Amino acid sequence: MAMTGTEIETAYRKLKSYVYYDKTDLRLRERLAKFECSDKFVGNLKAVQEVAGAEQPALDKRFKQWLEQIRYRVVPKKLRPARPAESPDDEPDGKYITNVTSAPAVEVEAVNYFFDGPVELHLIAVLWLMREGRHLDAMFLPECCGSRLSPKLHEEDDDSLQLFAKYHEQYSRWRDNGIRKAKHLLVEERRNVAILGLDLREYFYRVKLDFGELRSVLQSAGVLVDKAPLLDCIEAIGKAYRDCISPLLSRTHVEFPESVAGLPIGLCSSLVLANWYLQEFDAEVLKSVRPAYYGRYVDDILLVVPAGQDPSKGDGSPVAEFINDILVRPGLLSPPEKGIYRLRGRSSLQLQQSKCILQYFDARHSIAGLEKFKKKLEQNGSDFLLLPVDEADSSMEDVAYELLYEGSVNKFRSIKGVAENRYELAKHLARQTILHLVTDDPPDRKVSQGLQNFFKGRSAIEYFDLWERVFTLLGIAGDKATGKAFLKQLKAEIPRVRHNDVQVTKELLANLEQHLKLALALSDSVSEEDVGLSELLGDVPAEEFRRANLLRHHFVRAPLLNFTNYSGSLSCRSLKKPAKPDPHKLKWTPRFLNFDECMLLAYSGNVRRGKASPFEFASAVFEAANRHAPNGVLWVKAGGDSDADEQEEET
């Protein structure tokens, strides 16, 4: 079936929006920015259109050339503990606790592999989702809560930006519905409850797909795979990627059988295929176990089951006994071998007993623990970017660390250690950045010093995903001195990273250095025009991020200023001279523009409107970006001819 120009444009816009909202894969963001800023942008889109619309796209010479460009990224997954864990009984000489994270070497114990291929292959994956993958998604049960496609994708002639449903809404539904059901059983029905959390071990690496089975499923769903064989391309991409990573994977994951191809982490089609691979397991759990609640978020599983008695009353492990009763005996899992369970029918998939969590609540006792847990989840689910900056005076030490206790929190003896708090640290960075956007306060030396103290040694590497947020904060605050010091500090920490395999160490160092460059580039794209750091890293692609509009719009001070041809700092309050809307940025916007943003741009004085009224100008910007005129907006003149007398109303 021929591929239209409209389809390929829609696929690119969906891919761009998907990448835009992702906070982790900066490499793909860079690839996409350079792809769009290339002089061959239109021609490259045309090439994907021709290949995807061919009778046998997987055999096309251009597709095979794209396969040869597949690479991978290796990132730290788990760092080796600085000191071996000790039990309270193993402290004859006393307990030693320290905040020192610096060391001659930062040992990496486990790594993750991410797909790193040309944008053309990512586009093929999006087109597969649009044409074929959506039919798989339509088969999934409601209990499959994560990585679901947007409902828009199931509509004919869909030209929206949405590819997947919103992450936070899916996650909240998966988590909250389980807690809500447990509370209902305890309070309303007065029944004891067991909550079981399961995690599939290294799930994406262990998926063993049968593409012949997939083709049969799609054909039975009415999808003519033989005339739209994009699934062949997805299979070829997966095989080429596995061949690419196999030499190194065999040294870092020695127990993996060669017959298991896995799924490329970082390729959007893998998310739907990962859900499909477990749909039969979902159905069997609902049929055999009949839990009060069952929900699966990709590879995280949550069950709420009415419990007759306390699982700890038996002779063995409460967790093992409970799993045996509800999952092993019905034949969903095989009996454990060395603490490892395997899924029946999907024997390559494993559950680790050590990673399983079982919570038991007796209806005759207090449920304060469940209530507190539920309240904490609700608080953490809020969008902290929009919360009041009520922690502006808190130091980094107040929010980035938490004490770990055994027993009473009021006893100094109960302290067993100090741990970093990723969520609180990320929240603190976001609030401090917003604070500098809405005020003209000078850089806070206490915050700057706290950042430098925190990102040392293990913490610098373990929290590498937060480097960008730190650079953004320092750039918007105009703290050039700390920015330079922070960059030099990270450049000194990266070479300390070690893995027991020399080649893996080289890959880790190269990817961390690349990530540092991209983190700096993204921060540069919204902060000062020159914060004086680029010369320390060489080629920093901040300009491409800005031209492709793949920057973080939350940190653009004037609404929609990044959709104009303005070339100065996007964190400035006012422009020396008005700019013009950029037609390319509006056409290829990665996000939906709200009408109130368009009106704010029209009234800001930052753009030339010509003879158009603010409403006419805002409507034109809205339609250019969103591909339809604003709905439900009525323009009313209250009297007089001045702009100040005009207002818009939502109907």
Side-chain angles (χ1 to χ4, degrees):
M1 183 178 175
M3 187 73 59
T4 66
T6 300
E7 274 185 288
I8 195 65
E9 286 192 8
T10 299
Y12 180 76
R13 293 170 69 242
K14 286 182 182 293
L15 174 63
K16 186 175 181 179
S17 183
Y18 171 71
V19 173
Y20 177 77
Y21 285 107
D22 179 78
K23 294 183 179 181
T24 56
D25 194 348
L26 302 189
R27 175 60 177 149
L28 178 53
R29 186 177 289 255
E30 180 196 28
R31 278 186 176 273
L32 202 65
K34 290 184 175 180
F35 181 86
E36 186 172 320
C37 293
S38 168
D39 294 336
K40 300 178 180 179
F41 174 54
V42 176
N44 290 337
L45 286 181
K46 183 68 174 177
V48 177
Q49 178 187 341
E50 292 170 354
V51 170
E55 289 188 8
Q56 294 181 300
L59 301 180
D60 190 285
K61 181 175 65 175
R62 289 167 293 186
F63 178 75
K64 292 181 178 180
Q65 290 174 343
W66 299 333
L67 291 181
E68 292 173 357
Q69 299 172 37
I70 288 178
R71 300 292 182 269
Y72 58 86
R73 294 186 297 113
V74 182
V75 300
K77 179 183 180 182
K78 182 181 178 182
L79 303 185
R80 185 168 287 115
R83 299 174 67 243
E86 298 177 344
S87 68
D89 297 331
D90 295 333
E91 301 174 354
D93 299 323
K95 184 184 296 184
Y96 177 68
I97 299 171
T98 179
N99 67 339
V100 177
T101 60
S102 299
V106 179
E107 300 289 341
V108 176
E109 188 173 302
V111 298
N112 258 334
Y113 294 82
F114 286 85
F115 180 84
D116 183 16
V119 170
E120 288 87 348
L121 294 183
H122 286 279
L123 275 171
I124 292 288
V126 173
L127 289 166
W128 177 78
L129 291 176
M130 291 169 59
R131 284 200 165 186
E132 302 170 28
R134 64 189 178 100
H135 296 284
L136 288 180
D137 182 83
M139 301 175 190
F140 301 155
L141 296 169
E143 287 78 10
C144 174
C145 303
S147 299
R148 297 300 301 269
L149 293 178
S150 167
K152 294 280 188 182
L153 221 66
H154 297 284
E155 299 175 2
E156 296 299 326
D157 301 323
D158 167 41
D159 66 347
S160 69
L161 292 172
Q162 291 95 327
L163 187 58
F164 288 91
K166 294 179 180 178
Y167 154 79
H168 63 277
E169 293 178 356
Q170 298 178 78
Y171 189 83
S172 297
R173 179 167 63 89
W174 169 72
R175 176 199 66 201
D176 296 345
N177 286 352
I179 302 300
R180 193 176 298 116
K181 185 61 180 180
K183 183 180 177 182
H184 176 82
L185 290 172
L186 285 165
V187 177
E188 303 298 330
E189 300 185 22
R190 304 297 298 169
R191 302 174 71 183
N192 303 340
V193 168
I195 302 176
L196 179 65
L198 306 173
D199 179 63
L200 290 165
R201 183 185 179 197
E202 299 166 326
Y203 177 55
F204 280 80
Y205 298 98
R206 295 179 179 274
V207 171
K208 188 178 180 181
L209 277 178
D210 183 340
F211 279 89
E213 181 186 357
L214 258 175
R215 289 183 182 88
S216 298
V217 169
L218 287 171
Q219 284 177 332
S220 65
V223 183
L224 301 178
V225 182
D226 56 335
K227 293 186 179 179
L230 290 178
L231 186 60
D232 294 348
C233 294
I234 302 302
E235 183 178 11
I237 293 171
K239 184 180 184 305
Y241 174 70
R242 185 64 178 216
D243 291 344
C244 183
I245 68 172
S246 284
L248 207 60
L249 187 70
S250 63
R251 288 146 66 174
T252 58
H253 298 71
V254 293
E255 76 283 7
F256 280 7
E258 293 184 6
S259 60
V260 179
L263 291 170
I265 301 175
L267 190 68
C268 59
S269 55
S270 296
L271 298 172
V272 171
L273 294 174
N275 275 335
W276 178 80
Y277 196 64
L278 283 173
Q279 65 166 346
E280 289 185 4
F281 178 78
D282 295 340
E284 283 299 317
V285 170
L286 293 170
K287 178 183 176 182
S288 302
V289 181
R290 303 186 70 179
Y293 173 80
Y294 172 79
R296 179 173 59 81
Y297 194 91
V298 189
D299 58 349
D300 287 323
I301 297 169
L302 187 65
L303 294 97
V304 177
V305 182
Q309 65 175 10
D310 189 338
S312 66
K313 298 298 183 182
D315 297 331
S317 162
V319 177
E321 291 292 337
F322 190 80
I323 293 177
N324 185 63
D325 285 342
I326 71 167
L327 295 174
V328 175
R329 286 179 182 170
L332 295 168
L333 299 179
S334 62
E337 297 179 10
K338 298 181 179 180
I340 301 294
Y341 298 88
R342 294 182 184 274
L343 273 66
R344 290 278 175 86
R346 302 294 192 197
S347 59
S348 62
L349 300 184
Q350 301 178 354
L351 286 173
Q352 281 183 288
Q353 183 181 321
S354 60
K355 297 288 184 71
C356 299
I357 299 175
L358 177 64
Q359 298 181 66
Y360 174 75
F361 295 91
D362 192 312
R364 297 169 298 176
H365 293 261
S366 171
I367 64 167
L370 184 64
E371 288 283 6
K372 185 174 182 180
F373 180 60
K374 182 174 180 293
K375 185 176 181 180
K376 186 66 175 176
L377 290 176
E378 291 171 349
Q379 290 175 346
N380 289 354
S382 302
D383 184 354
F384 53 75
L385 277 176
L386 302 179
L387 293 177
V389 189
D390 54 4
E391 294 178 3
D393 295 329
S394 300
S395 68
M396 279 289 299
E397 289 74 13
D398 292 334
V399 299
Y401 298 97
E402 60 181 351
L403 295 176
L404 304 180
Y405 294 92
E406 284 180 336
S408 172
V409 298
N410 297 315
K411 295 181 180 180
F412 183 76
R413 173 67 187 166
S414 298
I415 299 175
K416 67 174 184 178
V418 180
E420 295 84 4
N421 190 321
R422 178 185 295 272
Y423 175 79
E424 290 298 331
L425 176 58
K427 183 169 67 173
H428 185 70
L429 290 172
R431 288 185 172 185
Q432 289 291 331
T433 306
I434 296 297
L435 178 64
H436 282 287
L437 279 175
V438 299
T439 69
D440 290 319
D441 292 348
D444 189 330
R445 302 308 306 170
K446 184 172 67 173
V447 172
S448 302
Q449 188 60 52
L451 288 170
Q452 290 179 268
N453 291 341
F454 180 85
F455 284 91
K456 287 182 177 179
R458 287 172 47 85
S459 296
I461 305 304
E462 188 168 0
Y463 297 95
F464 73 92
D465 55 323
L466 297 180
W467 293 349
E468 178 206 333
R469 303 190 193 195
V470 176
F471 282 126
T472 300
L473 166 59
L474 297 175
I476 289 176
D479 194 348
K480 297 182 180 181
T482 303
K484 287 186 176 182
F486 184 68
L487 177 59
K488 290 180 179 178
Q489 183 170 311
L490 293 181
K491 289 185 69 179
E493 295 290 357
I494 289 175
R496 303 181 196 275
V497 172
R498 295 287 185 275
H499 189 272
N500 56 18
D501 187 287
V502 175
Q503 184 59 37
V504 176
T505 298
K506 290 180 180 179
E507 295 284 351
L508 284 169
L509 294 178
N511 281 289
L512 285 170
E513 289 168 359
Q514 175 74 358
H515 184 83
L516 177 59
K517 181 181 78 170
L518 297 178
L520 179 60
L522 266 175
S523 68
D524 275 3
S525 64
V526 296
S527 57
E528 295 292 338
E529 297 173 70
D530 181 13
V531 293
L533 303 182
S534 300
E535 71 274 9
L536 299 178
L537 277 182
D539 178 30
V540 178
E543 181 60 28
E544 284 92 342
F545 283 135
R546 184 152 174 171
R547 285 168 54 197
N549 228 344
L550 282 167
L551 44 77
R552 312 290 189 192
H553 77 269
H554 316 286
F555 304 124
V556 178
R557 180 170 289 181
L560 303 189
L561 185 59
N562 52 308
F563 283 87
T564 71
N565 62 358
Y566 174 66
S567 60
S569 169
L570 293 174
S571 59
C572 67
R573 286 196 175 277
S574 58
L575 277 59
K576 295 180 180 179
K577 62 179 181 178
K580 293 181 179 180
D582 189 318
H584 177 88
K585 291 179 178 179
L586 289 171
K587 178 180 179 179
W588 300 105
T589 174
R591 70 178 184 92
F592 181 84
L593 301 193
N594 296 297
F595 189 71
D596 60 334
E597 294 178 285
C598 300
M599 287 297 293
L600 286 171
L601 177 65
Y603 275 113
S604 66
N606 291 332
V607 289
R608 301 188 183 98
R609 291 193 279 110
K611 296 182 179 180
S613 69
F615 178 76
E616 291 169 338
F617 177 86
S619 297
V621 169
F622 181 94
E623 188 168 358
N626 301 325
R627 302 194 173 196
H628 64 81
N631 297 319
V633 179
L634 178 65
W635 182 250
V636 179
K637 278 194 175 184
D641 297 324
S642 68
D643 290 342
D645 294 326
E646 298 172 334
Q647 62 182 11
E648 79 274 8
E649 293 182 355
E650 298 255 348
T651 58

